[in-house]
Amino acid sequence: MSGTSYTGFGGKALPFLKALGFHQNREWFHDNKDIFEEHLNEPRGRLLDDLAVRLAERRIPLTCARKTSTFRINRDVRFAKEKHPYNTHVSAVITRSGTKKDQGLLYVQVSPEDSFLSVGFYAMEPDELRAFREAILARKLQFDEAIRPLLDLGFVFDREDSLKRTPRGFETVADPELVDLLRLRHLTLSRRFGPDRLKGTALLEDLVELADAAQPLLSFGWRAIDPVRAARDELSH
């Protein structure tokens, strides 16, 4: 196994993000940018560098890179009601292409209030989501087996944006467990973690463990939505 350059986030990482919540102005951020770079941005980059190597070594079809996988600390406020210029978390995504536009992902967010890992399919196009729902309906036992490794690690479905009613075309489904799944807008599962995971290489190991456990679910989802995406791309050319 290759050596690691990631040794954890800096001791000022969470205090910086907490302070940023109070000092939402460019002057304060500029004056403290060195702390952001040393304790947050650079460690995040090293985490992704090492994770990409570990995933390749294990032949897991996911990757990540500093330039394409990270989200900016600056918020896009053009259409937002909340105009604060900075996020109070840092985050990154791990996908097949290593870009943020690919479906089937791992996601990591570091925050003073809500640090968590997520996995799955987020904000799918309507035709992709329908195909995924149809796949769950057709192969429920296989889906249950696909999510079992994640449930065993303590991950739970994200239900915040769930529909109040069963989506059109699935109204005849009677099984309450199936109905619950079909109402999900995002097929993602998450697990919160505490500040202790930011020390040493704990978070790196957690992400490698998650990548392993996620393979059945990601494969299930790709099998469902890849043909839909391919057909849409064909029509657009």
Side-chain angles (χ1 to χ4, degrees):
M1 184 180 296
S2 61
T4 181
S5 66
Y6 172 72
T7 57
F9 282 79
K12 296 181 180 179
L14 296 183
F16 172 89
L17 291 172
K18 190 169 185 178
L20 184 59
F22 292 100
H23 301 282
Q24 281 284 330
N25 64 78
R26 289 170 178 80
E27 293 75 19
W28 186 90
F29 184 83
H30 178 76
D31 289 344
N32 293 275
K33 191 175 181 181
D34 288 349
I35 297 176
F36 169 72
E37 292 294 340
E38 179 183 348
H39 291 258
L40 283 158
N41 199 34
E42 180 59 23
R44 176 177 58 176
R46 291 182 179 182
L47 173 65
L48 295 176
D49 290 344
D50 288 0
L51 180 58
V53 171
R54 295 281 294 276
L55 295 174
E57 289 174 346
R58 300 172 83 87
R59 298 187 179 180
I60 293 174
L62 295 168
T63 192
C64 49
R66 295 183 185 221
K67 288 187 177 181
T68 59
S69 303
T70 57
F71 294 90
R72 300 177 65 210
I73 193 76
N74 303 75
R75 295 180 65 241
D76 183 353
V77 298
R78 290 174 298 172
F79 307 108
K81 291 182 180 179
E82 176 55 68
K83 297 299 183 180
H84 288 163
Y86 297 104
N87 289 310
T88 54
H89 63 265
V90 294
S91 56
V93 69
I94 299 96
T95 62
R96 284 185 289 185
S97 65
T99 70
K100 297 187 284 286
K101 294 183 178 180
D102 210 357
Q103 274 294 355
L105 56 85
L106 311 183
Y107 175 82
V108 55
Q109 177 169 302
V110 174
S111 160
E113 294 84 21
D114 194 24
S115 294
F116 63 91
L117 299 175
S118 287
V119 56
F121 295 76
Y122 181 82
M124 287 178 279
E125 295 294 333
D127 55 352
E128 297 167 2
L129 181 54
R130 182 175 184 83
F132 206 128
R133 286 168 170 159
E134 289 173 346
I136 292 174
L137 202 57
R139 301 190 297 278
K140 178 62 165 52
L141 290 177
Q142 183 183 342
F143 181 78
D144 288 344
E145 286 302 309
I147 63 173
R148 190 179 307 280
L150 297 166
L151 299 178
D152 289 345
L153 289 178
F155 284 78
V156 296
F157 278 104
D158 298 305
R159 292 186 162 85
E160 287 80 2
D161 294 331
S162 293
L163 299 172
K164 298 266 194 296
R165 297 181 178 179
T166 304
R168 186 177 300 175
F170 299 92
E171 297 92 343
T172 59
V173 176
D175 183 338
E177 183 185 351
L178 258 177
V179 169
D180 185 50
L181 287 170
L182 295 173
R183 289 182 179 180
L184 296 175
R185 281 184 173 171
H186 313 292
L187 271 300
T188 58
L189 300 94
S190 296
R191 185 183 73 191
R192 269 61 192 171
F193 63 85
D196 59 303
R197 308 310 293 173
L198 300 179
K199 300 174 183 177
T201 60
L203 189 54
L204 173 61
E205 300 304 331
D206 289 347
L207 281 163
V208 172
E209 179 183 59
L210 174 57
D212 271 330
Q215 288 313 292
L217 173 61
L218 296 179
S219 296
F220 183 98
W222 289 329
R223 179 182 173 189
I225 73 170
D226 280 355
V228 175
R229 294 166 70 91
R232 192 193 314 131
D233 291 344
E234 185 75 20
L235 288 173
S236 66
H237 287 92

